[in-house]
Amino acid sequence: MAAKPILIGEQLFSKKSDALQACRDVLYHYPAGARVHDPTHERFLIDLLQLHPDTERKVGSGIDHFEIRANPLYPNQVSFFIVRTDGSETEFSFTKCLTPPTQRHLVLNAMRQAVGPQVIAFLHATFRDGDEVRCAVTGAILNGPDGAHVDHYDPEFLVLATDYVLAHGGWDAFELFSTDGAVGPSFADVKQAEAWVDHHRMPASLRVVSIRANLSLLRRGRIRPRMEE
């Protein structure tokens, strides 16, 4: 049986063993008790967590930061820990994140890919006039699009997308396909894709935030970034 590729954020791994090794590389880069401080590692863990079967409960109030700690069940091993914005903490298993994705996850991924051009256009339009741009959450000055993300709010992307799917037949009503070299699945039905993109223009509320602020903006079940969330 041919190996199935795994997509973590924008990183495509040709087989599961490669994705597992990438997780271990981050895990063992730090000593037990250390905070994950490399922005690349933070971004990887955020994307990885979106593949977890219980993302909503793990993210909780939002992510403040990640730490490497001794596993409470196996003290000789280390695990990824989430420290939430409300001060609560939890461990998460990267092996659970790399199980086959559900139809729900695949459809959400396709929906995000479909509206990607809208999101990127909004990001660059925000910086186009040369005016000072500040993070909508912290007020910090943003130096350019490379240091910013676009966040859906009121409603969040997950709420917006889920409401749309449930109003149009449910998760199984959306057929998807993948092609070599593509990042994630796409809608098999072009009309379905166009209808979703057109719908997204109206209720979606977008704002530009700093990458750091976006760590704490993660809310229940968000599938995040590529230029966004």
Side-chain angles (χ1 to χ4, degrees):
M1 181 180 296
K4 293 185 178 180
I6 293 178
L7 182 68
I8 303 177
E10 292 183 337
Q11 299 184 59
L12 184 64
F13 298 91
S14 59
K15 53 185 183 295
K16 184 175 181 178
S17 60
D18 291 343
L20 286 169
Q21 186 57 52
C23 295
R24 296 188 188 101
D25 288 345
V26 176
L27 182 65
Y28 296 113
H29 181 81
Y30 302 89
R35 175 172 174 162
V36 176
H37 55 76
D38 186 315
T40 302
H41 292 163
E42 289 181 329
R43 173 80 273 123
F44 178 82
L45 293 180
I46 289 169
D47 290 330
L48 176 66
L49 187 57
Q50 305 317 307
L51 305 180
H52 195 283
D54 198 11
T55 303
E56 295 186 18
R57 186 174 64 84
K58 291 295 183 180
V59 171
S61 64
I63 298 172
D64 185 78
H65 64 274
F66 298 96
E67 294 182 3
I68 308 301
R69 298 184 186 176
N71 187 307
L73 298 179
Y74 306 99
N76 293 328
Q77 300 179 15
V78 291
S79 299
F80 292 118
F81 270 74
I82 299 166
V83 179
R84 302 189 183 100
T85 55
D86 63 2
S88 60
E89 304 170 344
T90 189
E91 175 267 351
F92 79 94
S93 168
F94 64 83
T95 58
K96 287 186 178 180
C97 296
L98 300 180
T99 54
T102 64
Q103 173 70 3
R104 171 183 175 275
H105 171 77
L106 293 172
V107 172
L108 285 169
N109 204 345
M111 295 174 83
R112 189 174 295 283
Q113 296 289 351
V115 300
Q118 285 184 26
V119 172
I120 293 173
F122 174 83
L123 178 67
H124 287 282
T126 302
F127 289 92
R128 184 171 299 143
D129 296 332
D131 295 334
E132 182 179 87
V133 177
R134 292 181 177 270
C135 171
V137 174
T138 66
I141 296 174
L142 302 175
N143 295 323
D146 291 340
H149 286 154
V150 175
D151 173 59
H152 282 80
Y153 72 103
D154 193 27
E156 297 176 359
F157 181 83
L158 180 63
V159 174
L160 177 62
T162 299
D163 287 349
Y164 182 84
V165 168
L166 296 181
H168 291 80
W171 303 105
D172 291 332
F174 294 84
E175 185 179 351
L176 308 173
F177 78 98
S178 298
T179 57
D180 292 340
V183 179
S186 301
F187 288 100
D189 187 331
V190 174
K191 290 184 178 179
Q192 272 189 332
E194 291 175 345
W196 157 242
V197 170
D198 288 341
H199 175 80
H200 178 268
R201 286 190 179 94
M202 296 303 295
S205 297
L206 306 178
R207 59 183 176 179
V208 174
V209 299
S210 68
I211 295 174
R212 168 58 60 183
N214 225 15
L215 283 173
S216 62
L217 285 173
L218 278 179
R219 288 294 184 269
R220 298 165 172 76
R222 285 192 178 186
I223 295 181
R224 181 173 118 120
R226 309 1 172 196
M227 265 308 189
E228 131 134 15
E229 277 0 41

